Amino acid sequence: MGAYDLVDVWRDKNPCVKNFTWSSNITPGIHCRLDYFLLSRHAQFFVTNIEFVPGLQSDHSFVLMSFSIGNSRRGRGYWKLNNSLLYDSNYVDGVKDLLHNELSCNNFDNPALLWEYLKYKIRTFSIHYSKHKAKERREKENQLIARIALLEQKLYISESPELRSQLKEAQNELMYLYDFKLQGTFLRSRARWIEEGEKNSKYF
């Protein structure tokens, strides 16, 4: 740190806060701050926020840092239907109701024009529905992360089997949400082989 003029940016932003990035699962628990994010002293002025976020499948927390390096805003990206919606009964019923209402209210002489109009209506409904579902998942994810962080803070103060059980339950719910997001990642990357965890084998 001295040779390269680096700073522990979390400590620099939180000089009086007592927090940890690692805790043991034994009772009484051991809590330490093992994970750092070292940054150039000149670059620390671009940091707008830095915090510890509960880790996933790990007893280490993430060090989450936000930068502000420009004021340009991103536009609306390219939208593509998430195929998982086809297994959502509420979405399927909504599309069926939409088609029934549109076909009963609109009379198009040109079949091609009708087809394009229906595609437009389905696309509009799908975007609205998928945004609503994504918002619900983000809110639930943020609530779970906040709950996990709160439970970990309570465990720092006093060990309790009940708190441990609540923490494990919240971590499992968060894992379920991340598994759902990972399935989308696998599909988008066209992954052919998906390995759950690390498995020892003669091949590897």
Side-chain angles (χ1 to χ4, degrees):
M1 291 174 66
Y4 295 100
D5 195 23
L6 304 176
V7 295
D8 177 8
V9 64
W10 184 88
R11 176 54 65 198
D12 184 73
K13 298 289 184 181
N14 304 276
C16 301
V17 177
K18 185 179 181 181
N19 207 339
F20 307 95
T21 62
W22 176 84
S23 61
S24 65
N25 293 323
I26 62 175
T27 303
I30 302 173
H31 311 288
C32 304
R33 194 167 77 89
L34 302 178
D35 304 278
Y36 297 85
F37 205 119
L38 303 180
L39 195 66
S40 168
R41 190 178 301 275
H42 300 287
Q44 66 176 324
F45 301 107
F46 297 101
V47 177
T48 57
N49 183 51
I50 183 167
E51 58 183 335
F52 297 150
V53 180
L56 183 65
Q57 287 189 329
S58 173
D59 50 2
H60 289 259
S61 297
F62 296 125
V63 183
L64 182 63
M65 184 167 56
S66 301
F67 282 94
S68 177
I69 55 177
N71 297 321
S72 58
R73 299 182 60 183
R74 296 178 59 185
R76 297 178 62 182
Y78 176 76
W79 182 83
K80 188 175 181 180
L81 176 68
N82 187 344
N83 289 343
S84 64
L85 291 176
L86 301 178
Y87 301 98
D88 187 334
S89 58
N90 292 329
Y91 171 78
V92 174
D93 291 340
V95 172
K96 288 180 179 179
D97 293 339
L98 172 68
L99 290 174
H100 177 74
N101 294 333
E102 293 298 334
L103 290 174
S104 60
C105 298
N106 295 286
N107 296 318
F108 288 87
D109 296 331
N110 188 340
L113 185 60
L114 173 62
W115 173 237
E116 293 300 325
Y117 175 76
L118 291 177
K119 285 194 296 183
Y120 164 75
K121 297 296 291 187
I122 293 173
R123 180 179 184 274
T124 303
F125 172 79
S126 301
I127 291 175
H128 177 76
Y129 186 88
S130 59
K131 283 185 176 180
H132 177 71
K133 294 289 289 187
K135 182 180 179 181
E136 286 184 344
R137 284 194 296 269
R138 285 195 301 268
E139 290 177 351
K140 186 174 182 180
E141 180 182 347
N142 292 333
Q143 291 173 359
L144 287 172
I145 290 174
R147 176 172 172 76
I148 291 171
L150 178 62
L151 290 171
E152 288 181 345
Q153 287 287 343
K154 290 182 178 180
L155 283 172
Y156 296 153
I157 300 173
S158 62
E159 287 287 337
S160 167
E162 183 180 355
L163 288 177
R164 285 285 180 189
S165 176
Q166 293 177 6
L167 177 61
K168 186 66 176 178
E169 182 181 352
Q171 288 174 336
N172 289 337
E173 288 187 47
L174 185 61
M175 173 62 65
Y176 176 79
L177 287 179
Y178 283 144
D179 283 342
F180 179 82
K181 294 171 67 175
L182 283 174
Q183 291 301 320
T185 303
F186 291 141
L187 290 174
R188 287 190 294 272
S189 63
R190 300 179 182 274
R192 297 181 60 188
W193 301 101
I194 302 172
E195 183 179 12
E196 297 180 359
E198 297 179 1
K199 300 178 182 178
N200 187 19
S201 67
K202 184 177 179 180
Y203 174 80
F204 289 107

